[in-house]
Amino acid sequence: MRLFRHHTEVPVEARGAVVAIGNFDGVHLGHQAVIAAAARQAGELGTSQAVLTFEPHPREFFQPAQPPFRLTPFRIKVRQLEAMGVDNLFVLPFNAELAAKSAEAFVVEILSQGLDVAHVIVGYDFVFGQGRRGNTTMLAELARLHGFGVTTVAAAANGAGEVFSSTRVREHLTAGRPVAAASMLGRPWEIEGRVEHGEKLGRKLGYPTANLVLHEYLPPALGIYAVKAGIDEGRETLWRDGVASFGYRPTVGGTHLIFEVHLFDWSGDLYGRHLRVAVIDYLRPEKKFDGLDPLRAQIEADCQAARGLLAAYAGPPPGAVARLPAPARVANDPQSFYERALGPRQPSRQ
Ligand code: RBF
Ligand code: MG
């Protein structure tokens, strides 16, 4: 996957693509359906297939002081799209200039002149342009004027009849429902980062923990979780079972929120290493215990409960990726695009 941070001077092999457009925070199953539709359409048209997204998330631009809400910070989103098999990713800086672009200017300057799109795919609730005034109807009208196609992908729902939506995934996570979140994401929700130095008290307790700082991530419900922790070993990520505590640690007089992970049957040192934590299930809210002994007993009970939940977990596996349909196309071959438009080239005469 190639990444472009601009919409001008796009090389010819990345122009003329079928482009899925959206913020795609979480890259949930609804987003995946939009991106898969772009891949299928690209296969039919014989063009490359791309995703167009914005960074920062527009909401981060408009409300910079609001608390973190991202399901997938930028580099996680990039990794997910790359793993799906997206050819090209256009990431437009969401700044005052972009925020002020009318819906029409967005179509003309970015989609038509900049990317020369063959076709655009969006979700049913897509809005764009200054004041979010552009919608899918307006996009289809502008597309007709500027000579490209538009497909709007209808809302899709999980087994419980809930429409896939980033907002709904956030609600599940802040309410302590990671299984429901995974049913919308197509994989368990993950937090990842570099393991920070902790207070080493966990070691004394008998349950050493690796600490992660959430930074831009949405803070999930406070409490104790069953998790799978992914440790990079060479090019692979190995997933190990464990428990995590996200809270203030009232028993030991903690003053700030930390996300701590204890891995089962693991004695290695994780300090400074990169850790992925797939949040599988919710065990309980955190409590203030009267001393370390009852806390230790509760943690032991949590570990047993977590082992049971992890063994019974029937949702999608950590890090699951829905690969895009194999391209029946000649990706990134500008000739094939023009051949389809203009007919086969004459055999050259020597
Ligand atoms: N700390 C609390 O104050 N209350 C809790 O209910 C609590 N539950 C925990 C459950 C698990 C599975 C783990 C690993 C930790 C828990 N902690 C809790 C955090 C504990 O106090 C912390 O790991 C040590 O103080 C070391 O930082
Ligand atoms: Mg949406």
Side-chain angles (χ1 to χ4, degrees), residues 8-9 22 26 35 59 64 70 72 75 109 115 127 135 155 193 206 216 293 296 322 330 345:
T8 55
E9 291 162 48
I35 295 163
R59 207 205 285 180
R70 294 281 291 258
T72 48
R75 67 192 179 286
E109 293 170 27
L115 307 187
V127 290
N135 57 22
E216 323 135 86
D293 285 338
R296 189 183 289 117
V330 189
R345 283 170 298 165

Side-chain angles (χ1 to χ4, degrees), residues 325-347:
R329 61 182 192 252
V330 189
N332 293 335
D333 178 358
Q335 279 182 344
S336 70
F337 178 70
Y338 291 109
E339 274 174 20
R340 275 161 210 267
L342 305 171
R345 283 170 298 165
Q346 298 304 309

Side-chain angles (χ1 to χ4, degrees), residues 277-338:
V277 181
V279 176
I280 305 291
D281 215 336
Y282 185 78
L283 293 171
R284 64 175 179 88
E286 74 169 348
K287 280 184 253 173
K288 181 169 179 174
F289 289 94
D290 197 7
L292 291 186
D293 285 338
L295 172 61
R296 189 183 289 117
Q298 178 61 54
I299 293 179
E300 180 50 33
D302 293 334
C303 291
Q304 293 314 317
R307 284 182 195 268
L309 286 170
L310 291 167
Y313 174 70
V321 174
R323 291 279 309 173
L324 294 174
R329 61 182 192 252
V330 189
N332 293 335
D333 178 358
Q335 279 182 344
S336 70
F337 178 70
Y338 291 109

